[in-house]
Amino acid sequence: MLGYVVRRLLGAIAVMLAMSAVVYVLFYLMPANPAQLVCGPKTCTADRLAMVEHSLGLDEPLYVQYWHFLSGLVVGRDFSSGPSVLHCPAPCLGYSFQYTEPVLDKILEALPVSLSIVIGAALLWLTFGIGAGVLSALRRGRWLDHAVNVVVLGGFAVPAFITSLLLLMVFCVYLQWLPFPSYVPFDEDPLGWAQNLVLPWIVLALVQLPPYVRLSRSGVLETLTEDHIRTARAYGLTERRVIGRHALRGALSPLITVAAADIAAVLTASMLTETAFGLPGLGRLMVQSVNQIDLPMVVGMTLLIGFVIVLCNAIADVLYAVVDRRVRVA
Amino acid sequence: MRLLWNRFRADRSAVFGAVVAGLLVLLAITAPLLTALEGQDTTSFHNDLVDSARGGVPLGGFGGISPQHWFGVEPQTGRDLFARIAEGAQVSLLVAICATLVEVLLGVAVGLLAGLSGKLVDALLSRVTDIAIAFPVTVFSLALLAIVPETFPRPLLVAVVIGVFGWGGTARITRAQALSLRTRDFVAAARLSGASGWRVARREILPGLAAPVITYGALLLPTNLIAEAGLSFLGVGVRPPTSSWGQMLSSATTWFRSDPVYVLLPAFMVFLTVLSFTLFGEGVRIALDPRSTRLSRKAA
């Protein structure tokens, strides 16, 4: 078991290294001069350009630049910017010259917003997704099953940003039941926090719902045909106990891995949701950085997001091995 | 084939999807023609049709719908909305179809290579496929679209970027299918009769891939459409003056209160397109799946 975990994690680290090299080369070899981009379209002078070029280390060969980037992750790095020295403490993902802040600081600033959205929504989609899936499996072919099916199809056919716009229109403009969302930190005003985030939660949950409904539905249907369920029934256990104690356990364990591997989809959906609602989370930071062509910011965030996803997938594999012993051999 | 057609026709929601999808494709193809028939174009400003005193809200009910402007006009500029929606259909469908083609071609190539080569190549390619599947397409497309020079044709770029990041699923399916096909007797027979590896792949394996790949491709199309709309909504997809539904939605966000038609129109178009292509794709899948009959589909 330990061997498997170590192998899997080493594999993940190798993938991250390869990924960082690819992203780095891709972004710093583009025809556009990164210094020009970093320098900004309006504020740039020849002096400033040369300075940025030097402080980014662009006058050095590419492998040296990449090495600086990697070592920056571990020990931090300094950017000499004219008279002053900008320090970027480890783990340094880069330095945004537009915000004059290390990339990581900006990310940490936006993180609570995104986490608030994702965690609240995750609670919703896990409860309702699994609940609806199990119920529609038990009432298969009846109206409840069909109704759930329609909602699931709707969740797939209406992209997150459209649901966001429609909900905003109905609840904030016409009915005026809710304020236009803006982020209120949880520790300042828990009620306001929830009130502002309830629409993003619903949107994200609707988008994430379909696979959970489908998997728990088919999982329950499949488990119900298995021998141990027949045995449990033959023992005379109540239907409630058969399903609650015996069917659900077998049916829901695959969901663990789905949930962990789902992180990429969540990130994408929350990016669209945040932009639609104008909430200052990671997604919106990414979109803004892209639109302002803040290259260090974009590279840093892309890499961090990539790392998180690779790690989550490794964790998912390990969790799966814990749940299902057969996997470890492979 | 006849059997397939009959099975497909018996499926009401699939037929509905096929008809609506067909109409949308027709709308996209004939967009310039219909716009000419309407007597409008995509870019002319109509300042006389918007109420400049109220911040540029279209005059007349329902976003200024009139015999001259079938879907009304855009707030602020007064550009004709039918012309822009129709052009949006063209752009969205074209991007989605190209992206799907790129995904299917890349996916089949990688999948075949993985499924038919030795262990080492297979392990390597499978690992790469896993990574490709796990990656958030939008994040990377966003980053890439930001740095490519403006001169590159935008719709093509969006299609390629979506396609290049999305081939993982096709590759996985192709590989699985190739692995199961290569152990079959007719493949062994072809090998024994001296056919080269390339010939076996092309003549014996490839035809067997058609059904699963077509099925998967049909379901990829709506996903790609959503991806394009999303990127354009975020402001990095198709750029003005070319119109796209996602881009219309993003500019509609400031017009909720005063001009709801402007929000609802593109939203409905995206919904209709994704829904119809999804129903159509599901129908194809069910018709091609030898195990499913009408009865078992009800149960499943």
Side-chain angles (χ1 to χ4, degrees):
Chain A
M1 185 65 213
L2 193 68
Y4 176 78
V5 174
V6 170
R7 262 208 321 278
R8 194 65 192 75
L9 288 181
L10 281 180
I13 290 173
V15 169
M16 287 191 224
L17 268 178
M19 195 173 67
S20 69
V22 170
V23 169
Y24 202 83
V25 170
L26 207 64
F27 280 89
Y28 284 94
L29 274 188
M30 286 313 282
N33 179 357
Q36 181 79 52
L37 294 177
V38 168
C39 189
K42 292 179 194 107
T43 50
C44 203
T45 58
D47 275 359
R48 198 173 131 88
L49 187 68
M51 185 191 89
V52 172
E53 223 158 64
H54 181 70
S55 65
L56 280 176
L58 289 172
D59 37 5
E60 288 175 283
L62 191 73
Y63 66 90
V64 178
Q65 293 180 39
Y66 178 58
W67 171 247
H68 282 318
F69 178 81
L70 276 190
S71 62
L73 282 176
V74 184
V75 295
R77 66 194 282 203
D78 293 313
F79 294 95
S80 54
S81 151
S84 60
V85 172
L86 302 167
H87 181 61
C88 174
C92 177
L93 281 169
Y95 191 92
S96 164
F97 293 89
Q98 288 189 16
Y99 292 110
T100 57
E101 253 181 279
V103 169
L104 194 64
D105 288 9
K106 284 303 282 185
I107 293 178
L108 290 179
E109 218 171 88
L111 193 64
V113 183
S114 293
L115 278 183
S116 301
I117 297 176
V118 170
I119 290 174
L123 285 178
L124 275 183
W125 84 65
L126 287 176
T127 349
F128 283 94
I130 295 171
V134 172
L135 275 181
S136 70
L138 297 179
R139 306 254 186 289
R140 162 172 88 171
R142 312 255 192 88
W143 68 267
L144 186 80
D145 189 15
H146 294 303
V148 167
N149 204 11
V150 168
V151 173
V152 166
L153 194 62
F156 177 73
V158 189
F161 57 95
I162 292 188
T163 328
S164 315
L165 294 184
L166 294 182
L167 286 180
L168 267 179
M169 219 164 129
V170 172
F171 288 103
C172 304
V173 176
Y174 287 103
L175 297 175
Q176 305 205 336
W177 287 355
L178 291 166
F180 254 91
S182 62
Y183 182 68
V184 180
F186 180 73
D187 45 358
E188 274 173 29
D189 176 10
L191 195 68
W193 174 79
Q195 211 175 30
N196 276 297
L197 290 176
V198 70
L199 289 184
W201 288 342
I202 293 176
V203 169
L204 202 54
L206 268 181
V207 176
Q208 290 298 118
L209 211 58
Y212 293 88
V213 176
R214 249 178 244 155
L215 269 176
S216 52
R217 182 176 183 276
S218 62
V220 169
L221 283 180
E222 201 174 302
T223 330
L224 281 180
T225 63
E226 276 173 19
D227 289 347
H228 72 275
I229 298 294
R230 192 201 52 199
T231 311
R233 284 211 173 111
Y235 268 115
L237 299 182
T238 59
E239 192 64 8
R240 183 190 205 106
R241 205 177 156 80
V242 170
I243 288 160
R245 288 291 299 261
H246 298 274
L248 284 189
R249 192 176 290 180
L252 299 184
S253 53
L255 280 175
I256 301 173
T257 53
V258 177
D262 210 22
I263 191 89
V266 175
L267 272 169
T268 309
S270 78
M271 205 149 84
L272 288 164
T273 315
E274 283 167 17
T275 311
F277 284 107
L279 291 168
L282 287 179
R284 211 171 66 132
L285 181 62
M286 180 76 177
V287 174
Q288 273 174 354
S289 314
V290 165
N291 283 332
Q292 294 163 3
I293 323 188
D294 188 341
L295 213 53
M297 207 63 217
V298 174
V299 172
M301 287 193 79
T302 310
L303 278 180
L304 189 69
I305 291 171
F307 288 170
V308 169
I309 286 162
V310 172
L311 262 187
C312 281
N313 276 289
I315 292 171
D317 281 359
V318 170
L319 272 182
Y320 201 69
V322 173
V323 177
D324 189 339
R325 297 174 144 264
R326 281 166 301 182
V327 181
R328 277 176 235 170
V329 198
Chain B
M1 201 58 210
R2 206 177 160 76
L3 180 72
L4 280 185
W5 171 240
N6 282 335
R7 287 170 63 159
F8 186 80
R9 212 175 44 180
D11 189 344
R12 259 182 307 161
S13 59
V15 172
F16 168 77
V19 170
V20 176
L23 286 177
L24 284 164
V25 171
L26 200 68
L27 170 71
I29 294 172
T30 57
L33 209 70
L34 286 174
T35 310
L37 196 71
E38 192 201 12
Q40 304 294 339
D41 60 71
T42 54
T43 47
S44 297
F45 285 27
H46 299 280
N47 289 328
D48 51 323
L49 291 176
V50 293
D51 188 349
S52 49
R54 280 168 53 227
V57 178
L59 291 165
F62 302 105
I65 290 182
S66 66
Q68 287 81 43
H69 297 276
W70 298 346
F71 283 180
V73 292
E74 198 179 51
Q76 198 101 54
T77 60
R79 289 183 292 192
D80 183 64
L81 270 186
F82 176 76
R84 294 190 69 75
I85 288 274
E87 191 193 26
Q90 213 170 19
V91 173
S92 298
L93 285 177
L94 203 65
V95 169
I97 289 169
C98 289
T100 310
L101 281 181
V102 173
E103 283 173 354
V104 167
L105 286 180
L106 270 177
V108 168
V110 174
L112 266 184
L113 207 59
L116 299 180
S117 312
K119 265 216 165 96
L120 193 70
V121 179
D122 183 21
L124 196 70
L125 286 178
S126 297
R127 202 77 213 118
V128 174
T129 309
D130 286 348
I131 298 169
I133 289 176
F135 268 20
V137 182
T138 313
V139 175
F140 281 80
S141 324
L142 203 60
L144 260 190
L145 288 169
I147 53 170
V148 174
E150 285 291 320
T151 47
F152 202 85
R154 211 66 189 177
L156 181 70
L157 178 68
V158 177
V160 169
V161 165
I162 296 176
V164 163
F165 285 114
W167 51 267
T170 321
R172 197 176 268 182
I173 289 173
T174 308
R175 173 178 171 271
Q177 190 75 4
L179 280 179
S180 94
L181 284 176
R182 69 186 281 190
T183 61
R184 303 273 282 275
D185 289 343
F186 66 87
V187 176
R191 280 241 166 81
L192 282 175
S193 68
S196 66
W198 167 241
R199 194 187 152 83
V200 169
R202 197 165 48 92
R203 294 294 294 270
E204 310 294 334
I205 308 275
L206 210 52
L209 292 173
V213 169
I214 289 174
T215 307
Y216 194 71
L219 290 172
L220 272 178
L221 196 85
T223 320
N224 290 337
L225 204 122
I226 294 182
E228 183 274 324
L231 287 173
S232 298
F233 176 75
L234 293 177
V236 292
V238 180
R239 292 272 166 91
T242 314
S243 60
S244 102
W245 296 337
Q247 181 197 308
M248 289 172 91
L249 279 167
S250 106
S251 52
T253 45
T254 44
W255 296 98
F256 281 143
R257 192 186 301 267
S258 43
D259 189 4
V261 175
Y262 188 44
V263 184
L264 293 177
L265 219 52
F268 180 71
M269 290 307 285
V270 174
F271 169 71
L272 197 66
T273 315
V274 174
L275 187 72
S276 63
F277 277 95
T278 309
L279 290 176
F280 173 65
E282 279 284 321
V284 172
R285 184 180 68 80
I286 289 161
L288 281 175
D289 186 352
R291 280 167 308 181
S292 75
T293 63
R294 287 284 300 166
L295 270 178
S296 72
R297 192 171 60 83
K298 272 253 165 70

